[in-house]
Amino acid sequence: MAEEEKSVDFGKLRSLMLLAVIVGATVLIVSLWQLGQFQAFEIGWTVMAVAFGAIAWAAVFYFGCLIAEGSLTSYIISDDTEIKGQNVEMVTRTRSSGDPRLDAWIEKFVFARNTFGLAVIPLLILGGLFLWG
C-alpha cells in the first residue's frame, strides 16, 4: 500500500485538473456562443451548455487519470445504486490511503467519474430524441 501512495504523481494530477478546467470552460463558452446565449438568454439552453462543459471537464479529468494515474482506481471498493424514495443515487465507496492529500484526489477522481457517468446517458437520450424524435 505504501508503494501505491508513492507512485501517485500529484504534479501530474494538478496538471490534469488544470487541463480539464480549461477544456470544460472552453466547451461552456463555445456552447453558450453556439446556442445564442450571448444574444438572448434562455435558461434551458444555458443549462445544456453548463452540462456540456461539466461533461467535458469530467471526461478529460477522469480519462486522463485513468491513463496517467490508473492507480487511483485501486482505492474504489464498490459502486452501488441506491433507491431512496423517488431518488436514485449512485454511491461509490472508497478505502482510505492514509494520506489526506491523496484521499482528496481520490474524492475528486470519484466525483469526476460519477459526473461523467450520470451526465452522459441523459445527454445521449436527449440527443437521440432531437435527431430521431
Side-chain angles (χ1 to χ4, degrees):
M1 186 162 102
E3 290 179 22
E4 287 179 6
E5 293 172 14
K6 291 178 183 175
S7 68
V8 174
D9 184 357
F10 292 110
K12 199 179 288 185
L13 288 173
R14 281 190 298 277
S15 297
L16 280 170
M17 180 60 81
L18 179 63
L19 177 66
V21 168
I22 290 169
V23 169
T26 302
V27 168
L28 171 64
I29 291 168
V30 169
S31 296
L32 288 170
W33 172 59
Q34 287 292 311
L35 294 171
Q37 295 310 293
F38 295 124
Q39 290 83 23
F41 175 79
E42 293 181 37
I43 190 72
W45 292 115
T46 302
V47 169
M48 284 186 66
V50 170
F52 295 150
I55 291 168
W57 166 81
V60 169
F61 186 68
Y62 173 62
F63 289 112
C65 283
L66 284 180
I67 293 167
E69 291 296 333
S71 63
L72 292 179
T73 58
S74 66
Y75 293 98
I76 296 174
I77 297 172
S78 67
D79 286 317
D80 298 317
T81 304
E82 296 180 1
I83 300 173
K84 297 179 181 179
Q86 293 183 350
N87 297 326
V88 178
E89 296 179 7
M90 188 171 154
V91 179
T92 302
R93 289 176 180 75
T94 59
R95 67 178 172 86
S96 176
S97 67
D99 179 8
R101 191 170 148 198
L102 180 56
D103 288 341
W105 280 107
I106 293 167
E107 289 176 15
K108 291 172 188 158
F109 174 72
V110 168
F111 178 74
R113 180 176 178 254
N114 290 349
T115 300
F116 181 75
L118 293 174
V120 168
I121 299 300
L123 189 62
L124 291 175
I125 291 169
L126 287 173
L129 288 173
F130 177 75
L131 293 173
W132 296 291

